[in-house]
Amino acid sequence: MPQESSHTASDAHRVVVIVDENSNPFELGCATEVFGLRRPELGRDLYDFRLCSPEPRTLMRDGFFTLTGVAGLEAADAADTLIVPNRPDVEVPRRTAVLDAVRRAHARGARLVGFCSGAFTLAEAGVLDGRRATAHWQWADSFRARFPSVRLETDVLFVDDGDILTAAGSAAALDLGLHIVRRDHGAEVANSVSRRLVFAAHRDGGQRQFVERPVPEVPDESLAPVLAWAQEHLDAPLTVSDLAARASVSAATLHRRFQAQLGTTPLAWLTGERLALACRLIERGESRFETVARHTGLGTAANLRALMRRRIGLTPLQYRHRFGPGQAPTPRPAGS
């Protein structure tokens, strides 16, 4: 399985995935789809993407296939972002060589990413002590018993703790991957990648891992119609009561449906959608922040500034300098 880098420019942010024996193919596929594909629709590639393995031949999970032709583990030493191996046999210790590669990457300031059970790899390497992380809910008790010094958050999709990011389950790897693209290249680029994936452009990391989806009663309780309507009217001063009235339910019923179907609250969802629109407007060249705030329903530039700083970690001016027209966005340094 010969490997080509998705980017040949020496200054491109290098994403390296360590693949080890019994690694899960799905998460490897997620990493490849988000970070490894060429992006002709954007006119540029986003990352220099590599796979590496401690062995010349790596048997993937349950012997589905054997991975060959990838770089040796030394490639991890050149990673700006290192995605660590995950696998279903969480009680089996990781190879010392893999753990040492993770420790070296962390020591030199690389960004570390764990998908699903990848949190076990990070914890075994000792880089999660005292840090926030998540893992699949199925392994929460086992994780806590083995790594009590890690601040495990079990009911979220992913955790961004600066230079170490972890995703809960398999599909949450896509959510975290898109979050990283958004953090590195802005909302517009992340939306383009999500459209190519035919995947939700933005699910906040704080949403619940496991969402109950009972068989709906008649009438249909899907939130899709009210969500679509709200997205078309973000410039209006919408409230939770407005959404409830549009859905022809009480505010309490609307809250229950949001929690059951999206794992979040109506207000948190509405704020997230408004901020996503604000980011896109800034990226497209709108420099008047009062106008951005008005068109997104956020009211004032001061409110826009406070929410962007709290949710995104950048002020509108900093966001424009990083992702606005004429800029060449580069990934933020690990931990920023």
Side-chain angles (χ1 to χ4, degrees):
M1 186 176 174
Q3 179 187 353
E4 277 188 21
S5 169
S6 68
H7 204 306
T8 57
S10 60
D11 60 349
H13 185 96
R14 178 167 293 184
V15 176
V16 177
V17 182
I18 300 178
V19 187
D20 202 2
E21 184 177 11
N22 214 25
S23 285
N24 289 325
F26 183 85
E27 285 80 359
L28 175 59
C30 290
T32 304
E33 284 283 342
V34 174
F35 302 109
L37 297 188
R38 295 190 178 278
R39 303 290 174 190
E41 67 275 17
L42 296 176
R44 60 189 171 95
D45 296 325
L46 303 180
Y47 301 96
D48 179 338
F49 180 79
R50 305 287 174 89
L51 305 180
C52 72
S53 177
E55 299 290 343
R57 298 172 61 85
T58 303
L59 191 66
M60 301 296 288
R61 178 177 179 173
D62 297 331
F64 288 149
F65 59 89
T66 299
L67 186 69
T68 63
V70 301
L73 197 56
E74 65 277 2
D77 291 330
D80 300 304
T81 292
L82 183 65
I83 303 177
V84 305
N86 69 304
R87 60 193 199 198
D89 49 346
V90 295
E91 302 300 330
V92 177
R94 269 53 172 170
R95 298 174 194 254
T96 301
V98 170
L99 298 179
D100 286 345
V102 173
R103 294 181 186 114
R104 289 195 303 272
H106 183 59
R108 61 182 170 77
R111 181 168 59 188
L112 302 179
V113 178
F115 293 152
C116 196
S117 61
F120 283 80
T121 303
L122 295 170
E124 277 191 59
V127 300
L128 281 181
D129 291 348
R131 303 286 297 265
R132 297 169 54 237
T134 191
H136 195 287
W137 59 266
Q138 182 179 4
W139 294 312
D141 291 341
S142 173
F143 188 97
R144 284 199 177 100
R146 290 180 59 191
F147 309 111
S149 62
V150 180
R151 294 157 55 194
L152 188 70
E153 300 181 11
T154 57
D155 200 22
V156 297
L157 292 177
F158 60 82
V159 167
D160 180 343
D161 200 39
D163 60 337
I164 303 181
L165 301 93
T166 48
S170 296
L174 287 174
D175 291 298
L176 178 54
L178 288 170
H179 170 77
I180 291 171
V181 174
R182 187 178 307 107
R183 174 174 143 170
D184 290 348
H185 296 281
E188 196 76 3
V189 169
N191 284 348
S192 176
V193 174
S194 71
R195 284 195 299 271
R196 185 161 165 181
L197 286 166
V198 195
F199 191 75
H202 182 241
R203 289 200 299 170
D204 187 81
Q207 292 186 32
R208 292 163 54 196
Q209 281 188 36
F210 182 73
V211 179
E212 296 284 355
R213 295 191 182 277
V215 175
E217 299 175 358
V218 178
D220 183 12
E221 294 185 352
S222 169
L223 287 170
V226 72
L227 298 184
W229 175 80
Q231 287 169 331
E232 294 295 323
H233 296 83
L234 290 174
D235 58 333
L238 296 179
T239 64
V240 174
S241 295
D242 294 328
L243 298 181
R246 181 71 183 185
S248 300
V249 297
S250 68
T253 297
L254 188 73
H255 270 276
R256 287 195 297 271
R257 291 185 183 176
F258 263 79
Q259 288 289 355
Q261 296 181 36
L262 299 179
T264 189
T265 67
L267 184 58
W269 177 86
L270 194 57
T271 300
E273 290 296 310
R274 284 174 165 156
L275 282 173
L277 177 58
C279 289
R280 294 197 298 273
L281 290 175
I282 294 171
E283 289 175 36
R284 292 171 183 174
E286 180 54 73
S287 59
R288 298 163 298 175
F289 297 137
E290 287 287 353
T291 300
V292 172
R294 186 171 65 252
H295 283 318
T296 57
L298 292 173
T300 65
N303 192 41
L304 171 69
R305 186 179 304 109
L307 285 169
M308 286 191 67
R309 183 185 289 276
R310 186 184 316 141
R311 295 285 193 95
I312 300 172
L314 297 172
T315 65
L317 184 60
Q318 290 169 330
Y319 194 91
R320 185 177 71 193
H321 287 163
R322 189 181 298 275
F323 301 118
Q327 306 301 316
T330 55
R332 282 189 262 177
S336 64

